[in-house]
mmCIF file of all heavy atoms in Angstrom:
data_model
loop_
_atom_site.group_PDB
_atom_site.id
_atom_site.type_symbol
_atom_site.label_atom_id
_atom_site.label_comp_id
_atom_site.label_asym_id
_atom_site.label_seq_id
_atom_site.Cartn_x
_atom_site.Cartn_y
_atom_site.Cartn_z
ATOM 1 N N ASP A 92 -21.962 32.033 -54.233
ATOM 2 C CA ASP A 92 -21.455 31.645 -52.882
ATOM 3 C C ASP A 92 -20.193 32.333 -52.460
ATOM 4 O O ASP A 92 -19.895 32.067 -51.319
ATOM 5 C CB ASP A 92 -21.323 30.092 -52.813
ATOM 6 C CG ASP A 92 -22.564 29.357 -53.012
ATOM 7 O OD1 ASP A 92 -23.556 29.827 -52.830
ATOM 8 O OD2 ASP A 92 -22.407 28.097 -53.364
ATOM 9 N N VAL A 93 -19.619 33.068 -53.279
ATOM 10 C CA VAL A 93 -18.413 33.796 -52.981
ATOM 11 C C VAL A 93 -18.579 34.965 -52.087
ATOM 12 O O VAL A 93 -19.443 35.793 -52.271
ATOM 13 C CB VAL A 93 -17.713 34.235 -54.206
ATOM 14 C CG1 VAL A 93 -16.339 34.945 -53.983
ATOM 15 C CG2 VAL A 93 -17.389 33.047 -55.116
ATOM 16 N N THR A 94 -17.886 34.917 -50.946
ATOM 17 C CA THR A 94 -18.011 36.003 -50.013
ATOM 18 C C THR A 94 -16.921 36.992 -50.179
ATOM 19 O O THR A 94 -15.910 36.719 -50.848
ATOM 20 C CB THR A 94 -18.021 35.433 -48.468
ATOM 21 O OG1 THR A 94 -16.718 34.879 -48.294
ATOM 22 C CG2 THR A 94 -19.141 34.380 -48.315
ATOM 23 N N PRO A 95 -16.959 38.207 -49.499
ATOM 24 C CA PRO A 95 -15.924 39.193 -49.642
ATOM 25 C C PRO A 95 -14.619 38.601 -49.023
ATOM 26 O O PRO A 95 -13.513 38.905 -49.520
ATOM 27 C CB PRO A 95 -16.409 40.316 -48.758
ATOM 28 C CG PRO A 95 -17.918 40.196 -48.955
ATOM 29 C CD PRO A 95 -18.181 38.813 -48.974
ATOM 30 N N GLU A 96 -14.704 37.677 -47.955
ATOM 31 C CA GLU A 96 -13.599 37.120 -47.407
ATOM 32 C C GLU A 96 -12.913 36.056 -48.455
ATOM 33 O O GLU A 96 -11.644 36.089 -48.531
ATOM 34 C CB GLU A 96 -13.855 36.413 -46.177
ATOM 35 C CG GLU A 96 -14.392 37.248 -44.971
ATOM 36 C CD GLU A 96 -15.860 37.628 -45.041
ATOM 37 O OE1 GLU A 96 -16.609 37.036 -45.832
ATOM 38 O OE2 GLU A 96 -16.213 38.626 -44.414
ATOM 39 N N ASP A 97 -13.693 35.422 -49.138
ATOM 40 C CA ASP A 97 -13.174 34.609 -50.215
ATOM 41 C C ASP A 97 -12.410 35.442 -51.300
ATOM 42 O O ASP A 97 -11.357 35.015 -51.751
ATOM 43 C CB ASP A 97 -14.261 33.787 -50.875
ATOM 44 C CG ASP A 97 -14.943 32.751 -49.953
ATOM 45 O OD1 ASP A 97 -14.246 32.177 -49.052
ATOM 46 O OD2 ASP A 97 -16.105 32.387 -50.152
ATOM 47 N N GLU A 98 -13.023 36.466 -51.564
ATOM 48 C CA GLU A 98 -12.418 37.311 -52.665
ATOM 49 C C GLU A 98 -11.021 37.902 -52.200
ATOM 50 O O GLU A 98 -9.987 37.859 -52.747
ATOM 51 C CB GLU A 98 -13.275 38.456 -53.059
ATOM 52 C CG GLU A 98 -14.465 38.001 -53.818
ATOM 53 C CD GLU A 98 -15.231 39.223 -54.310
ATOM 54 O OE1 GLU A 98 -14.784 40.415 -54.324
ATOM 55 O OE2 GLU A 98 -16.500 39.003 -54.552
ATOM 56 N N ALA A 99 -10.973 38.339 -50.834
ATOM 57 C CA ALA A 99 -9.740 38.815 -50.311
ATOM 58 C C ALA A 99 -8.691 37.703 -50.241
ATOM 59 O O ALA A 99 -7.515 37.906 -50.539
ATOM 60 C CB ALA A 99 -9.961 39.332 -48.891
ATOM 61 N N GLU A 100 -9.083 36.510 -49.808
ATOM 62 C CA GLU A 100 -8.113 35.423 -49.787
ATOM 63 C C GLU A 100 -7.601 35.073 -51.192
ATOM 64 O O GLU A 100 -6.421 34.776 -51.377
ATOM 65 C CB GLU A 100 -8.848 34.129 -49.348
ATOM 66 C CG GLU A 100 -7.943 32.961 -49.065
ATOM 67 C CD GLU A 100 -8.678 31.764 -48.470
ATOM 68 O OE1 GLU A 100 -9.632 31.973 -47.759
ATOM 69 O OE2 GLU A 100 -8.148 30.628 -48.762
ATOM 70 N N HIS A 101 -8.477 35.109 -52.105
ATOM 71 C CA HIS A 101 -8.061 34.853 -53.545
ATOM 72 C C HIS A 101 -7.018 35.928 -53.986
ATOM 73 O O HIS A 101 -6.067 35.656 -54.672
ATOM 74 C CB HIS A 101 -9.236 34.808 -54.453
ATOM 75 C CG HIS A 101 -9.033 34.893 -55.983
ATOM 76 N ND1 HIS A 101 -8.248 33.928 -56.548
ATOM 77 C CD2 HIS A 101 -9.323 35.655 -56.945
ATOM 78 C CE1 HIS A 101 -8.037 34.088 -57.845
ATOM 79 N NE2 HIS A 101 -8.733 35.276 -58.098
ATOM 80 N N ASP A 102 -7.402 37.220 -53.733
ATOM 81 C CA ASP A 102 -6.590 38.294 -54.178
ATOM 82 C C ASP A 102 -5.059 38.252 -53.443
ATOM 83 O O ASP A 102 -4.126 38.378 -54.159
ATOM 84 C CB ASP A 102 -7.123 39.666 -53.798
ATOM 85 C CG ASP A 102 -8.336 39.987 -54.658
ATOM 86 O OD1 ASP A 102 -8.559 39.251 -55.677
ATOM 87 O OD2 ASP A 102 -9.124 40.790 -54.237
ATOM 88 N N ALA A 103 -5.160 37.807 -52.207
ATOM 89 C CA ALA A 103 -3.851 37.608 -51.493
ATOM 90 C C ALA A 103 -3.062 36.376 -52.164
ATOM 91 O O ALA A 103 -1.802 36.574 -52.139
ATOM 92 C CB ALA A 103 -4.096 37.309 -50.104
ATOM 93 N N THR A 104 -3.658 35.370 -52.498
ATOM 94 C CA THR A 104 -3.009 34.175 -53.203
ATOM 95 C C THR A 104 -2.415 34.743 -54.425
ATOM 96 O O THR A 104 -1.206 34.315 -54.884
ATOM 97 C CB THR A 104 -3.977 33.002 -53.325
ATOM 98 O OG1 THR A 104 -4.478 32.680 -51.998
ATOM 99 C CG2 THR A 104 -3.218 31.850 -53.959
ATOM 100 N N GLN A 105 -3.249 35.412 -55.251
ATOM 101 C CA GLN A 105 -2.799 35.839 -56.567
ATOM 102 C C GLN A 105 -1.578 36.796 -56.541
ATOM 103 O O GLN A 105 -0.685 36.686 -57.291
ATOM 104 C CB GLN A 105 -3.820 36.518 -57.383
ATOM 105 C CG GLN A 105 -5.004 35.582 -57.760
ATOM 106 C CD GLN A 105 -4.530 34.517 -58.713
ATOM 107 O OE1 GLN A 105 -3.928 34.829 -59.783
ATOM 108 N NE2 GLN A 105 -4.968 33.296 -58.498
ATOM 109 N N ALA A 106 -1.537 37.545 -55.371
ATOM 110 C CA ALA A 106 -0.479 38.528 -55.214
ATOM 111 C C ALA A 106 0.881 37.750 -55.004
ATOM 112 O O ALA A 106 1.940 38.221 -55.294
ATOM 113 C CB ALA A 106 -0.693 39.410 -53.968
ATOM 114 N N LEU A 107 0.862 36.566 -54.436
ATOM 115 C CA LEU A 107 2.024 35.729 -54.157
ATOM 116 C C LEU A 107 2.803 35.373 -55.584
ATOM 117 O O LEU A 107 3.844 35.176 -55.541
ATOM 118 C CB LEU A 107 1.703 34.467 -53.452
ATOM 119 C CG LEU A 107 1.273 34.700 -52.058
ATOM 120 C CD1 LEU A 107 0.692 33.343 -51.314
ATOM 121 C CD2 LEU A 107 2.275 35.219 -51.097
#
Side-chain angles (χ1 to χ4, degrees):
D92 292 340
V93 177
T94 65
E96 293 81 15
D97 293 331
E98 289 182 23
E100 182 178 337
H101 170 56
D102 292 343
T104 303
Q105 291 297 312
L107 295 173

